[in-house]
Amino acid sequence: MKEGLTGYLELGMQSKKGSYSAKTLLQKGASRISPAMYLDTSDIPCYFMLSLGGGFVAGDVYENKFTLEKDAKVILTTQSPNKIFKSPNQIPAIQKTFIHLEEGSQLEYISDSLIAYEDAYYVQDTRIDMTENASLVYIDGITSGWAPTGEKLKYEEVKLKTHIYMDGQPVVLDYLKLTPKSSTMQALGMLEEYTQFGTMMVIDSRITDSMIKEMRMYIEQLGKPVRYGLSTPQCNGFVLRVLGNLTQDIEKVIERCHDYIREQLYDIEPLRLRKY
């Protein structure tokens, strides 16, 4: 583990004779990973990422490194939402994640929404390098945590950077900076009348315009009190952003699109993690 890290997690996946297994696994400090679990009939292992500290505090630095070799498949998810606590003197908690996807590999990365409490300061930096025929589903989001006054959006600052490169070329450069203490977060062009959001990014050469059109139809049919945008990057895929006031509403929209991707691209049943 690099000096100064609170926790370090490294997982390398391989494919051998149609089965998928860990080739390398390293866990140090406050980071742990569960044994492989099989949650559907696809034989794709699911690993739960664990943090022993109960939440992130000022000065924490976590680093994750995930590598999928040729044709490897895996599901990675958090055990529960990561909690970001008060950060005195604007010293952030930092989470860095590096993902490498080789030819024919498939990653479903499902992170529960962060819960940012009053005066929290957090930086998340994710870099994903993939080949053109690898497949990626990436899900995360932010929920406003409890404050003594009962108000929402009391955290200091949250920065989320997600950079995706395909064969060395940038295809998604997503940077969100939320500063409720110094900005009117519920103004037009920000979170508007909402307090939290979720993001789903899918990069896969098989995504078509007709599939995106169908997903828009399914979202509308759900009838949830959310606002969403579904756009396409400079490659086959899409970025879905959902604004809402209830995490459950946002999760339902993303879950419906995830179900569709699993059915259309992976030919496997919906994934139900059952964390609640």
Side-chain angles (χ1 to χ4, degrees):
M1 183 171 73
K2 296 179 182 178
E3 187 176 350
L5 292 180
T6 309
Y8 178 76
L9 188 60
E10 183 174 335
L11 176 67
M13 296 296 299
Q14 63 182 350
S15 173
K16 279 192 174 181
K17 298 179 180 179
S19 64
Y20 316 108
S21 60
K23 182 178 180 180
T24 60
L25 197 162
L26 188 62
Q27 45 191 356
K28 293 186 176 181
S31 294
R32 291 291 185 271
I33 195 164
S34 73
M37 302 181 187
Y38 297 87
L39 307 179
D40 54 30
T41 59
S42 66
D43 294 328
I44 299 174
C46 176
Y47 292 89
F48 286 78
M49 298 174 285
L50 318 173
S51 175
L52 302 183
F56 293 1
V57 298
D60 278 352
V61 181
Y62 289 83
E63 186 172 305
N64 297 329
K65 182 179 179 182
F66 304 116
T67 301
L68 274 66
E69 294 186 354
K70 184 177 184 295
D71 297 328
K73 299 180 182 181
V74 73
I75 301 164
L76 294 174
T77 187
T78 48
Q79 181 189 31
S80 61
N82 282 322
K83 300 175 178 66
I84 316 300
F85 296 114
K86 181 180 293 187
S87 299
N89 303 316
Q90 294 189 335
I91 299 173
I94 299 172
Q95 170 82 67
K96 297 181 180 180
T97 301
F98 302 94
I99 297 172
H100 181 75
L101 306 180
E102 296 185 5
E103 180 183 353
S105 62
Q106 176 184 306
L107 171 64
E108 295 172 85
Y109 186 97
I110 307 160
S111 178
D112 290 292
S113 291
L114 295 163
I115 301 177
Y117 288 95
E118 185 173 16
D119 297 327
Y121 197 118
Y122 176 73
V123 177
Q124 178 176 292
D125 194 347
T126 302
R127 173 167 176 144
I128 302 170
D129 289 277
M130 60 188 295
T131 63
E132 185 176 359
N133 65 348
S135 182
L136 170 70
V137 174
Y138 180 90
I139 297 169
D140 71 359
I142 291 182
T143 294
S144 180
W146 176 87
T149 61
E151 298 177 76
K152 293 184 179 295
L153 296 170
K154 297 292 287 182
Y155 52 88
E156 183 72 36
E157 183 171 287
V158 170
K159 297 177 184 177
L160 303 179
K161 292 193 293 183
T162 306
H163 293 180
I164 303 176
Y165 294 82
M166 181 178 289
D167 295 326
Q169 298 300 311
V171 292
V172 175
L173 302 176
D174 189 51
Y175 181 31
L176 288 173
K177 180 180 178 181
L178 304 177
T179 54
K181 290 290 187 71
S182 58
S183 306
T184 307
M185 294 304 301
Q186 291 179 289
L188 184 67
M190 300 293 283
L191 296 183
E192 303 186 12
E193 71 267 32
Y194 302 103
T195 57
Q196 48 218 47
F197 72 88
T199 299
M200 178 182 189
M201 301 182 188
V202 176
I203 307 296
D204 191 295
S205 61
R206 296 166 290 180
I207 294 289
T208 64
D209 290 341
S210 62
M211 293 172 69
I212 292 173
K213 184 177 179 180
E214 277 195 274
M215 278 187 286
R216 287 197 177 102
M217 179 186 70
Y218 290 136
I219 293 171
E220 295 293 339
Q221 288 176 348
L222 287 173
K224 295 294 182 182
V226 299
R227 182 167 295 179
Y228 75 94
L230 210 167
S231 57
T232 55
Q234 297 298 312
C235 62
N236 285 58
F238 65 86
V239 177
L240 170 66
R241 192 94 73 200
V242 187
L243 300 176
N245 289 317
L246 286 177
T247 301
Q248 294 90 336
D249 290 337
I250 295 171
E251 288 178 344
K252 194 66 179 178
V253 171
I254 291 176
E255 180 184 272
R256 183 65 187 90
C257 293
H258 192 190
D259 290 350
Y260 179 81
I261 292 301
R262 290 189 123 233
E263 176 188 353
Q264 296 294 317
L265 299 186
Y266 304 155
D267 192 28
I268 50 181
E269 68 255 38
L271 181 66
R272 296 293 178 262
L273 295 170
R274 297 193 293 269
K275 299 180 185 179
Y276 305 110

